[in-house]
Amino acid sequence: GQQLNQSPQSMFIQEGEDVSMNCTSSSIFNTWLWYKQEPGEGPVLLIALYKAGELTSNGRLTAQFGITRKDSFLNISASIPSDVGIYFCAGSRDRTTDSWGKLQFGAGTQVVVTP
Amino acid sequence: NAGVTQTPKFQVLKTGQSMTLQCAQDMNHNSMYWYRQDPGMGLRLIYYSASEGTTDKGEVPNGYNVSRLNKREFSLRLESAAPSQTSVYFCASSEGTPHVQFFGPGTRLTVL
């Protein structure tokens, strides 16, 4: 299973700044998901995207399903200290592929927010 | 409604020892998954069970076995633990499609 290419690997930002990260692949995906993992916990779903071009918000988080279906973006606006964690993208592919039934994950973006 | 639960939370084993990691979900989901997480590598699928009675290998199945005991429970067994299996193990479940998976809190395993 090939991991998705997620960047940046880490980000050190000041409280109040906006954060952007992205995930790319050489393969087409039918679904893009964004998860957040806090220290000592399991990943928690933030946003799910199901259509190319879809733009979805969840509070200060906004994610987009790339029009080519090979990428996705997550933005966090006006960051606060509790945004600290690792953000993972994940994608699932078409029923006709041999990866049907499985999610592929990016390596994660570590976000550190300083006051 | 506890979601996905995992036991134990922490475990230390010696090389060659065996153990079973337990996972249970109370969301009536059909599909369940086992992942391992290593630094800088994200989550890698070990085994999954699309429905009760079926199991399939994921990306890194070597050294592991699984049992889908019933719809609620999916266990992961290490028959002869090796230091390379030191990792954090996550169980997840989903509603029949591969899309949205809900994760447990993880088991932190160290093999000496």
Side-chain angles (χ1 to χ4, degrees):
Chain A
Q2 189 175 353
Q3 276 195 336
L4 301 176
N5 298 311
Q6 187 172 350
S7 64
Q9 192 171 23
S10 60
M11 305 184 74
F12 293 82
I13 58 173
Q14 283 199 312
E15 186 175 354
E17 287 184 351
D18 296 344
V19 174
S20 293
M21 60 193 81
N22 69 78
C23 213
T24 61
S25 171
S26 57
S27 303
I28 289 174
F29 284 84
N30 278 0
T31 300
W32 285 95
L33 307 173
W34 285 93
Y35 287 87
K36 179 188 178 186
Q37 185 180 27
E38 298 188 12
E41 303 291 332
V44 173
L45 181 71
L46 297 174
I47 292 178
L49 301 159
Y50 298 106
K51 284 176 56 177
E54 181 180 355
L55 187 72
T56 297
S57 293
N58 178 6
R60 292 177 297 104
L61 277 60
T62 302
Q64 184 162 23
F65 193 139
I67 198 73
T68 66
R69 296 168 63 195
K70 295 182 178 181
D71 55 11
S72 181
F73 308 87
L74 177 70
N75 295 312
I76 307 172
S77 63
S79 60
I80 59 178
S82 63
D83 289 334
V84 165
I86 303 175
Y87 292 78
F88 290 100
C89 62
S92 71
R93 299 182 62 199
D94 186 79
R95 183 182 288 273
T96 62
T97 66
D98 59 5
S99 57
W100 171 252
K102 307 170 196 173
L103 283 180
Q104 292 178 251
F105 283 84
T109 294
Q110 171 85 58
V111 173
V112 177
V113 181
T114 57
Chain B
N1 204 355
V4 180
T5 57
Q6 293 183 237
T7 56
K9 286 195 73 103
F10 301 92
Q11 184 71 49
V12 179
L13 295 177
K14 294 181 180 178
T15 297
Q17 286 185 315
S18 63
M19 80 159 294
T20 299
L21 281 63
Q22 305 288 354
C23 173
Q25 52 91 10
D26 62 2
M27 296 176 281
N28 202 35
H29 286 169
N30 286 314
S31 302
M32 298 185 73
Y33 309 82
W34 275 106
Y35 293 89
R36 62 177 288 172
Q37 184 178 34
D38 301 295
M41 298 198 71
L43 290 150
R44 293 184 293 169
L45 184 64
I46 304 171
Y47 270 95
Y48 70 104
S49 171
S51 61
E52 188 178 351
T54 68
T55 61
D56 284 289
K57 295 179 180 179
E59 180 186 355
V60 288
N62 291 345
Y64 305 96
N65 284 301
V66 290
S67 295
R68 183 74 182 268
L69 305 170
N70 47 55
K71 191 171 186 178
R72 285 189 66 246
E73 298 171 288
F74 189 38
S75 63
L76 178 72
R77 183 160 178 83
L78 286 70
E79 290 291 351
S80 178
S84 60
Q85 293 179 305
T86 293
S87 189
V88 182
Y89 291 85
F90 289 100
C91 178
S93 70
S94 69
E95 180 56 36
T97 71
H99 305 316
V100 177
Q101 294 183 14
F102 297 88
F103 286 82
T107 293
R108 283 137 190 88
L109 176 67
T110 300
V111 183
L112 303 174

